[in-house]
Amino acid sequence: ALTPATRNMLLDTDQIIFSLGSSTDSATSSEEDACLAALKTLSKSKSGRVSLPTTHPASKLLPEEENRCIVLQAINDNKCWLMSSTQLIQAFTDQ
């Protein structure tokens, strides 16, 4: 199945390395703090993949309309993918 992602970002410990999205809006936030928060959250995950609430500091990297569903995927200890969607993806909701 295809994921209706509206933005994909490659995050390093202190910056966004790459961003591809459907809008040109950019969020105003401290990139370093948000990137570190994302990697810290992932470091606690056994699977290397977590879904974030909109209150998580990493959500500030996204325009508000794109943070309905946010998923992080670890690459290594210093890099991860952040994917967001304007739609709620059923696989990442509590059942």
Side-chain angles (χ1 to χ4, degrees):
L2 298 175
T3 302
T6 52
R7 185 167 303 270
N8 289 304
M9 294 179 167
L10 179 58
L11 307 181
D12 198 347
T13 54
D14 60 351
Q15 65 181 333
I16 300 168
I17 298 173
F18 172 81
S19 179
L20 176 65
S22 63
S23 75
T24 56
D25 295 339
S26 60
T28 56
S29 176
S30 168
E31 277 188 28
E32 184 174 2
D33 292 344
C35 291
L36 285 172
L39 291 168
K40 183 177 179 182
T41 298
L42 274 171
S43 71
K44 298 174 186 175
S45 166
K46 290 182 182 179
S47 69
R49 181 181 304 137
V50 293
S51 177
L52 299 179
T54 57
T55 56
H56 191 278
S59 71
K60 305 299 184 246
L61 294 170
L62 301 162
E64 189 173 335
E65 66 273 4
E66 291 186 10
N67 70 1
R68 182 152 189 221
C69 183
I70 307 167
V71 178
L72 296 175
Q73 175 66 53
I75 297 172
N76 59 33
D77 290 342
N78 297 321
K79 290 184 180 57
C80 70
W81 284 107
L82 181 149
M83 288 126 334
S84 69
S85 178
T86 57
Q87 299 176 28
L88 190 58
I89 300 171
Q90 188 63 32
F92 292 103
T93 58
D94 292 332
Q95 298 182 11

